[in-house]
Amino acid sequence: MKITKIAATMLLGGVATAVMMGQANALEAQAFADRIIEVYKTIGYDVTLGEATLDGDTITIDGGSITVVSTPEAPMETMTFDTELTFSGVVENADGSYMAESLTIPDIDTDFAEEPAGHLSLVDIRVDGFYLPAGNPVPAIGLMQLYENFSTGALSITRDGEEVISIDSIQAGSTFNPQHGATELTDLTSNFAVNNITADLSTVSEEDPSAGAVIEALGLTSITGNITGDLSWSMADGHMTVHEFLLDFADVGALNITTDISGFTPAVLDQIYAMQGAMTAGGEMTEEQSQAQMMQGMAIMQGVSIIGASVRYDDAGLAPKLLDFFASSSGADRATFVEGIKAMLPGMIAETGIPALNDVIVPPVSAFLDDPKSLEVKIAPPSPTSLLVLMAAAANPAGLISALGLAVEANTAAPAAD
């Protein structure tokens, strides 16, 4: 009899323990989900999530919704998803932050429009090193480290059953020094790639016949290419260099944007996030409040300086086609059409009221029109120059050109790869 009572007591104790553990697991899973909501709210995402459940160190969340909020007056449309989110290898750190080894999402295969019928499929969606920093407000250092790597497999978008856009894969990743999830960073590097983009533009004419005619005349009914980028960022002095943001399409051309700035520190980012939070949470602002926000923004950015920047276009066949097309449309041959544009350039610049632009723009643009190879607009101040100084210099456009070190170059050799 005594043994039976002991066994019953142990059984009841085990059941009670299991119930308590189940409650603790649900609470921990929900705490993880709540932290996702809080962290992403800081960067402008209004997130709702479905039920969160815990199994070992795996947390599963059953769907949710995301709204990108700009202002209280103009929030963007909410995107609802019923997809299961699986976070594997979840660890809660002593400071209240979370790290998951990976986040995986089931392949997407869904219709998104009825007329014309639109369908999207995306496979192999994965995030490695998913990080939720601690802190309230969430510090910028943490927000820089939300993931180590993001990747997908093939993306396909069809219109009435015909594929109009396809991408082989998407990849984005960062390397952190000293390590991912550190509360103090020295520097980071980031890169991304959208690989083997193919776009069928032949159906544009169904929506816009005039645009479709131009696309067909230029031989652009199908284009292929890649989009890539990489940057490096030092925390102590806020030196950020965008080494490449490149859109490169075969038989069309390559557009590359680079920037080099200093003073863009985590402290500056913290102030920007705080100001954005006040803007979205404070309701409609008065004119005085808007002016105060603008002054605050200027004060935040006063330590940010421009070292240099450039926008470069390397032609791969588009420019000659455009010149031929517009020449034919005007009833002239290409040489006559180009000479006409070159003759008009000084007058067009004169209308800006900035005569100093004439020497900067006319010679290189004329050279590009004669032989379209490359065209680049660069700024390179004599020394790093703050944004506020440049804004003040804008009162004297000629002085601003000098302060920026503005230059336009045509048909120069492409910079050597790092």
Side-chain angles (χ1 to χ4, degrees), residues 13 31 82 91 123 137 165 242 265 292 315 323 329 356 368 379 407:
D82 56 8
V91 175
V123 302
I165 297 175
V242 178
T265 62
D315 187 70
L323 290 173
S329 299
F368 178 78
I379 58 174

Side-chain angles (χ1 to χ4, degrees), residues 179-401:
Q179 64 189 25
H180 184 214
T183 55
E184 295 295 333
L185 281 182
T186 301
D187 54 65
L188 64 82
T189 59
S190 296
N191 61 77
F192 74 91
V194 185
N195 300 305
N196 197 22
I197 305 163
T198 300
D200 179 2
L201 305 181
S202 62
T203 60
V204 170
S205 58
E206 297 178 21
E207 302 292 336
D208 187 340
S210 59
V214 173
I215 288 171
E216 187 165 349
L218 295 175
L220 299 178
T221 52
S222 179
I223 60 173
T224 61
N226 303 282
I227 302 175
T228 54
D230 70 86
L231 67 82
S232 57
W233 193 355
S234 172
M235 301 299 112
D237 56 1
H239 185 187
M240 177 192 286
T241 304
V242 178
H243 303 282
E244 175 184 274
F245 181 75
L246 176 65
L247 294 82
D248 189 0
F249 285 81
D251 302 320
V252 177
L255 181 69
N256 192 24
I257 301 170
T258 66
T259 59
D260 196 2
I261 62 175
S262 65
F264 197 52
T265 62
V268 169
L269 260 182
D270 280 329
Q271 295 177 70
I272 291 173
Y273 287 135
M275 185 175 70
Q276 289 176 340
M279 289 173 65
T280 57
E284 188 173 354
M285 290 190 296
T286 65
E287 184 176 345
E288 291 77 12
Q289 289 173 324
S290 296
Q291 291 176 349
Q293 288 278 11
M294 183 177 68
M295 294 301 293
Q296 182 184 0
M298 292 173 64
I300 291 172
M301 299 301 288
Q302 66 181 345
V304 179
S305 297
I306 293 178
I307 299 171
S310 72
V311 179
R312 179 185 174 98
Y313 172 73
D314 285 277
D315 187 70
L318 177 61
K321 291 177 181 177
L322 283 171
L323 290 173
D324 288 338
F325 175 78
F326 288 116
S328 176
S329 299
S330 66
D333 59 69
R334 177 169 153 184
T336 302
F337 179 73
V338 166
E339 289 303 318
I341 296 177
K342 290 162 60 177
M344 293 168 57
L345 282 173
M348 295 167 63
I349 292 173
E351 291 179 3
T352 67
I354 312 174
L357 283 175
N358 197 75
D359 292 339
V360 175
I361 293 177
V362 171
V365 171
S366 297
F368 178 78
L369 290 169
D370 285 334
D371 183 17
K373 292 180 179 177
S374 72
L375 190 65
E376 184 173 10
V377 179
K378 301 193 294 186
I379 58 174
S383 60
T385 306
S386 76
L387 298 179
L388 291 185
V389 169
L390 293 175
M391 290 173 65
N396 174 15
L400 179 61
I401 292 172

